[in-house]
Amino acid sequence: MSKENDTADLIIVANGAFPASDRCRAMLSCAGTIVCCDGAADKLTAAGFEPDLIIGDMDSLSVAKRTKWANKMIRIEDQNSNDLSKAVHYCASIGHKNAVILGATGLREDHTLGNISLMLTYLPLMKVSIESDYGSFFPVYSNKAVACSPGEQISIFSMDNRIKVSASGLKYPLDGLRLSHWYTASLNETTGEFFSLQFESDTPLLVYRALIP
Amino acid sequence: MSKENDTADLIIVANGAFPASDRCRAMLSCAGTIVCCDGAADKLTAAGFEPDLIIGDMDSLSVAKRTKWANKMIRIEDQNSNDLSKAVHYCASIGHKNAVILGATGLREDHTLGNISLMLTYLPLMKVSIESDYGSFFPVYSNKAVACSPGEQISIFSMDNRIKVSASGLKYPLDGLRLSHWYTASLNETTGEFFSLQFESDTPLLVYRALIP
């Protein structure tokens, strides 16, 4: 993972599986600001950290917790967006430009899929990555070279099943490969110090970088 | 979940998060045949069950386990498919028509995404569903009515971001809604005893049914 992510200024904690790894704990320890989506605040404190802000409809918090955290709570009622989106929009509105999202995956699989795809809608507002105990999702724009180490496990996903992608610096060739299914460009491997992707779309691809087990 | 799934003749256990819920344990207890993808055999026995077959390249099993299970192992070398796909293809080749897949989600998120999307490629061979501690993925063909209970949490996904979907029997309207992102038709709710989907595509939609927490 990049040095940048390991010292995130802003971490937003969604209410999926709370990360248990030393890597994610270190990220929380170094964060400038920790914003929790509603019930994720309980998981954060159980892990020994304190939220700076809690955003959502607060349905998941006990009355005692609501009292304790009254001055940290930002209540946003909006049936059309989930708590993670509310948190990202609020943080963007107060000036944040970058965020690492933890707890976006795990538990209910439809929340996992939704949160991953929502990442791309945040990009006009804020540069985000999703980090978990198992890996990292980040957006890649066409023709961008990404620094890496040789042998990293990489998967590439698109919201658009018509997009054709070419790549250099990966073990398995992508030469105008149409990403018709989510598995189509998954489980690849970096071969050198960087890889780059070429494709024609206004929407970035999502790259997943697996952590070495 | 359907009665059919609760008494699956064939369960294939992939090597993601092994399910811990009573519901999934009951499914394993009642299964006619349990087929494990490679290292999932260890997780299965740790949970108190025995595999009938183990399929894969066996890289994840210790020498002692390989000896113990020698007569249950089907070694299939194919760099172009994962162990779950190898298991599905093998089980189809010996006559199975239906399978419940456990352990397809959890742990590495790229494996989760890949396994979910691979489901649709199995359909010419076998009718499959993915079951986890949190919910169930199953395919729905156009105009099919699906029996349900009122108030079930439902999400709908497509491999094709151009597909437009209409629905009846759901709380939030889908009236020719284009499924441009994975979140687009997620987090809906059933209103009656069945719901139905209308769309034009040769590829089924994937419906996710969340378990009540």
Side-chain angles (χ1 to χ4, degrees):
Chain A
M1 299 305 104
S2 69
K3 188 71 183 168
E4 182 184 2
N5 286 341
D6 290 346
T7 56
D9 181 54
L10 170 64
I11 291 182
I12 299 175
V13 188
N15 206 5
F18 191 85
S21 64
D22 288 346
R23 170 179 161 271
C24 288
R25 287 189 66 85
M27 291 168 68
L28 285 164
S29 297
C30 299
T33 303
I34 302 176
V35 175
C36 285
C37 299
D38 209 344
D42 277 331
K43 298 175 183 172
L44 183 77
T45 52
F49 299 94
E50 266 296 303
D52 294 297
L53 285 177
I54 306 164
I55 292 177
D57 56 17
M58 309 301 157
D59 284 357
S60 311
L61 293 179
S62 65
V63 173
K65 292 284 175 62
R66 288 186 214 187
T67 305
K68 177 186 171 193
W69 285 326
N71 64 341
K72 296 181 173 184
M73 294 193 312
I74 310 286
R75 191 184 302 261
I76 302 172
E77 304 284 353
D78 177 6
Q79 285 297 314
N80 294 316
S81 73
N82 70 3
D83 287 341
L84 176 56
S85 293
K86 289 170 190 163
V88 168
H89 282 257
Y90 180 82
C91 291
S93 77
I94 59 172
H96 286 282
K97 302 291 186 198
N98 297 278
V100 164
I101 302 174
L102 299 179
T105 64
L107 306 185
R108 266 180 60 172
E109 290 88 351
D110 56 345
H111 287 180
T112 293
L113 293 175
N115 286 342
I116 292 168
S117 66
L118 278 166
M119 259 188 83
L120 294 177
T121 70
Y122 303 150
L123 291 174
L125 298 169
M126 201 187 277
K127 188 180 165 203
V128 295
S129 70
I130 285 178
E131 309 285 338
S132 81
D133 290 342
Y134 310 103
S136 167
F137 284 100
F138 59 96
V140 169
Y141 295 85
S142 191
N143 303 321
K144 179 175 175 181
V146 179
C148 60
S149 305
E152 284 193 52
Q153 302 297 300
I154 294 282
S155 291
I156 300 154
F157 303 99
S158 175
M159 293 298 118
D160 186 343
N161 64 312
R162 293 167 296 176
I163 288 294
K164 292 178 181 175
V165 178
S166 297
S168 58
L170 297 178
K171 182 175 177 182
Y172 303 106
L174 276 67
D175 184 9
L177 184 70
R178 190 165 80 83
L179 302 197
S180 54
H181 285 75
W182 303 346
Y183 64 80
T184 306
S186 69
L187 309 188
N188 216 320
E189 189 177 310
T190 59
T191 54
E193 305 297 329
F194 70 90
F195 66 93
S196 64
L197 302 173
Q198 296 84 41
F199 61 101
E200 287 187 9
S201 172
D202 292 335
T203 307
L205 299 177
L206 275 174
V207 172
Y208 182 80
R209 200 170 206 161
L211 292 170
I212 294 154
Chain B
M1 298 303 104
S2 70
K3 188 73 183 167
E4 182 184 6
N5 285 343
D6 289 347
T7 57
D9 182 54
L10 170 65
I11 291 182
I12 299 174
V13 188
N15 206 6
F18 191 85
S21 63
D22 289 345
R23 170 179 162 270
C24 288
R25 287 189 67 85
M27 292 169 68
L28 285 165
S29 298
C30 300
T33 303
I34 302 176
V35 175
C36 285
C37 298
D38 208 343
D42 277 332
K43 297 175 184 172
L44 184 77
T45 53
F49 299 94
E50 266 297 302
D52 294 297
L53 285 177
I54 306 163
I55 292 177
D57 56 16
M58 310 302 157
D59 284 357
S60 312
L61 294 178
S62 65
V63 173
K65 291 286 175 60
R66 288 187 213 187
T67 305
K68 177 186 172 194
W69 285 326
N71 64 342
K72 297 181 173 184
M73 294 194 311
I74 310 284
R75 191 184 302 260
I76 301 172
E77 304 284 357
D78 177 6
Q79 285 296 315
N80 294 316
S81 73
N82 71 2
D83 287 341
L84 176 57
S85 293
K86 289 171 191 164
V88 168
H89 281 257
Y90 180 82
C91 291
S93 77
I94 59 172
H96 285 283
K97 303 291 186 197
N98 298 278
V100 164
I101 302 173
L102 299 179
T105 63
L107 308 184
R108 262 179 65 171
E109 290 88 352
D110 56 345
H111 287 180
T112 293
L113 293 174
N115 286 341
I116 292 168
S117 67
L118 279 166
M119 262 188 83
L120 294 177
T121 69
Y122 304 151
L123 292 174
L125 299 168
M126 201 187 279
K127 188 182 163 200
V128 296
S129 70
I130 286 177
E131 309 284 340
S132 81
D133 290 343
Y134 310 103
S136 167
F137 285 100
F138 59 95
V140 169
Y141 295 86
S142 190
N143 303 322
K144 179 175 176 179
V146 179
C148 61
S149 304
E152 284 192 52
Q153 303 297 300
I154 293 282
S155 291
I156 300 154
F157 302 99
S158 174
M159 293 299 117
D160 185 345
N161 64 311
R162 292 167 298 176
I163 288 294
K164 291 178 181 175
V165 178
S166 296
S168 58
L170 296 178
K171 182 174 177 182
Y172 303 105
L174 276 66
D175 184 9
L177 184 69
R178 189 165 82 81
L179 301 196
S180 54
H181 285 75
W182 305 345
Y183 64 80
T184 306
S186 68
L187 310 187
N188 217 320
E189 189 177 310
T190 59
T191 54
E193 304 297 329
F194 70 91
F195 67 93
S196 65
L197 301 173
Q198 295 85 41
F199 61 100
E200 288 186 10
S201 171
D202 293 335
T203 307
L205 299 177
L206 276 175
V207 173
Y208 182 80
R209 201 170 205 160
L211 292 170
I212 294 154

